[in-house]
Amino acid sequence: MSSDVLQASRGLSPPKGEAIAIKGISKRFGSIVGVDNVDLHVEAGEFLSLLGPSGSGKTTLLMMLAGFETPSSGSITLGSRDLTHVPPNKRGIGMVFQRYALFPHMSVAQNVAFPLKMRGLAKAEIAPLVEQALARVRLQDYGGRAPAQLSGGQQQRVAVARALVFQPPVLLMDEPLGALDKKLREELQIEIKTLHASLGVTIIYVTHDQEEALTMSDRIAVMDKGRIQQLGSPVSLYHEPNSSFVADFIGKMNFLKGIVSGLDDRSIAITVSGQTISVARSQLGGRDDVAIGRPVQIAARPESLSPTQNGEGAIAGDIETTIFLGSHRTLIVRSDDGTQLQVQVPSSHRDSGVEQRGRAFVRLDPGAVRVFAGED
């Protein structure tokens, strides 16, 4: 019986998570590169999400961490242990899949007990650990049921309990909420985040849902083409993306074409849709090769645009449609130069004078945009 499980069976505090060091990891499938020379350090107890579109390499990277894929090169270290070539059942890592992977012929309690049985624990030792694990996911009264008698959300919680029952230092989650409806998915996001805070386990979470990653993560690694394009906190990625790809992938974003019309050590003047705005050089993401007369791309969140009755200094256009989203409305505006803009207006502003359709003027907040140089 391992010392960690022994601690849990005696009612002691669960062990904290361990750090993971990924160095130069690559995975090739013939001529196709799935993961390309990735370096990543995950802090002990951190909740880190791997976020990216299909084919970005996030799941392949997770499978190498789990031991289900063998790296073509590089190393994986958990704490002081080299896991690079350790088989999955020897890694001591918990894993939760999108499709639950519960055994249909076993009860809920038997499913949760399975990892403990594989580790050679006696029945008397297993029972309290299973009870504790089910209580953590609020299913303590469901141990005798079959998986088929549970809802999708309940089945996923059983899968989480099974992954945590042997007190692993690391929990890997591969799109675990992807099969659930939006409301249930949002509820389980909060449950998983709360569980993480109480246990201190290290979680690496794969998702293609950027809202999910923003909600749950301490840090996010945005992946594309097998590489990490940017790594940072949800706030930094949302407000300070380093490329148009990250800007577009994290949250909703408007992109406007501009031309540099002035330049000094601290600021950049940009002409966009017939108006000139001034932005700080610190708002420049990616390459710092701006020059007067060169094109730039301005990235502006919908909340950094606002409708105005005064056309002076504003972008003129026509409202194509209005979308009501509860806490806010989104105006879809087609500017006079043909650019489609999303403008977010709080629903509480009922008397703002914003029409459902017709002519509109949109003011851009220069201090809330991101600028990318050399992008047509």
Side-chain angles (χ1 to χ4, degrees):
M1 185 173 181
S2 74
S3 60
D4 287 348
V5 175
L6 183 61
Q7 279 187 318
S9 67
R10 291 175 176 172
L12 301 179
S13 298
K16 298 298 183 182
E18 290 189 45
I20 299 174
I22 300 168
K23 296 183 179 179
I25 280 290
S26 294
K27 179 62 181 179
R28 293 180 291 276
F29 302 93
S31 60
I32 298 173
V33 179
V35 174
D36 188 8
N37 195 33
V38 166
D39 291 319
L40 177 63
H41 181 81
V42 185
E43 299 289 345
E46 183 175 17
F47 194 123
L48 182 131
S49 288
L50 301 175
L51 174 68
S54 297
S56 62
K58 59 188 187 296
T59 295
T60 300
L61 179 56
L62 194 79
M63 292 299 104
M64 287 191 285
L65 288 169
F68 299 128
E69 292 284 359
T70 302
S72 302
S73 60
S75 66
I76 300 169
T77 305
L78 173 62
S80 59
R81 289 195 300 144
D82 186 346
L83 295 187
T84 312
H85 300 291
V86 175
N89 62 322
K90 301 294 185 182
R91 296 194 175 203
I93 290 176
M95 183 83 193
V96 180
F97 299 93
Q98 179 176 348
R99 295 293 177 180
Y100 322 138
L102 300 178
F103 300 114
H105 63 287
M106 293 183 181
S107 69
V108 165
Q110 289 169 334
N111 265 279
V112 176
F114 185 77
L116 301 177
K117 290 181 66 176
M118 292 298 98
R119 285 164 172 79
L121 272 71
K123 284 186 178 180
E125 297 170 322
I126 290 175
L129 294 176
V130 171
E131 184 179 346
Q132 182 186 60
L134 288 174
R136 280 178 179 150
V137 297
R138 297 186 295 109
L139 291 175
Q140 58 266 37
D141 298 326
Y142 290 74
R145 298 194 187 187
Q149 295 176 298
L150 305 181
S151 67
Q154 289 170 333
Q155 289 185 51
Q156 192 57 284
R157 279 152 57 190
V158 173
V160 170
R162 185 178 62 183
L164 290 172
V165 71
F166 62 96
Q167 302 290 350
V170 173
L171 180 62
L172 307 179
M173 309 187 82
D174 186 17
E175 308 238 23
L177 309 182
L180 306 177
D181 64 66
K182 180 177 174 61
K183 187 175 186 298
L184 183 55
R185 190 164 66 244
E186 290 174 349
E187 289 175 358
L188 286 183
Q189 286 172 10
I190 296 171
E191 286 192 20
I192 291 171
K193 186 64 176 172
T194 302
L195 193 62
H196 169 254
S198 67
L199 293 179
V201 65
T202 304
I203 294 182
I204 300 181
Y205 190 100
V206 163
T207 182
H208 66 275
D209 186 327
Q210 38 90 3
E211 288 187 12
E212 188 167 270
L214 290 171
T215 298
M216 302 180 73
S217 312
D218 297 320
R219 286 192 302 162
I220 302 170
V222 182
M223 295 192 68
D224 188 42
K225 300 176 181 176
R227 295 184 174 183
I228 294 176
Q229 303 298 320
Q230 188 171 353
L231 174 66
S233 69
V235 172
S236 67
L237 290 178
Y238 189 83
H239 292 292
E240 299 175 355
N242 65 4
S243 68
S244 57
F245 169 79
V246 175
D248 192 33
F249 201 80
I250 298 286
K252 293 180 173 61
M253 187 67 83
N254 297 293
F255 290 97
L256 301 93
K257 294 180 179 180
I259 298 292
V260 177
S261 54
L263 199 61
D264 60 34
D265 291 340
R266 294 186 177 182
S267 63
I268 307 167
I270 302 170
T271 300
V272 52
S273 297
Q275 310 296 328
T276 299
I277 63 172
S278 178
V279 303
R281 272 191 173 270
S282 60
Q283 293 170 246
L284 186 63
R287 303 198 313 269
D288 188 14
D289 58 353
V290 291
I292 293 176
R294 291 195 62 178
V296 291
Q297 196 172 41
I298 299 172
R301 299 287 181 195
E303 62 267 28
S304 67
L305 298 173
S306 57
T308 177
Q309 301 296 316
N310 186 354
E312 184 177 351
I315 299 170
D318 294 293
I319 300 174
E320 294 185 332
T321 190
T322 303
I323 303 168
F324 177 71
L325 294 168
S327 62
H328 65 273
R329 288 177 289 160
T330 297
L331 312 180
I332 306 300
V333 177
R334 181 75 62 178
S335 70
D336 287 349
D337 67 3
T339 303
Q340 188 182 76
L341 303 174
Q342 295 187 50
V343 183
Q344 184 173 307
V345 181
S347 293
S348 57
H349 292 185
R350 295 182 179 180
D351 300 323
S352 62
V354 177
E355 303 293 336
Q356 295 291 315
R357 294 289 181 92
R359 197 67 174 158
F361 298 101
V362 176
R363 181 161 285 121
L364 179 68
D365 179 0
V369 303
R370 198 75 171 157
V371 177
F372 303 106
E375 301 192 21
D376 296 310

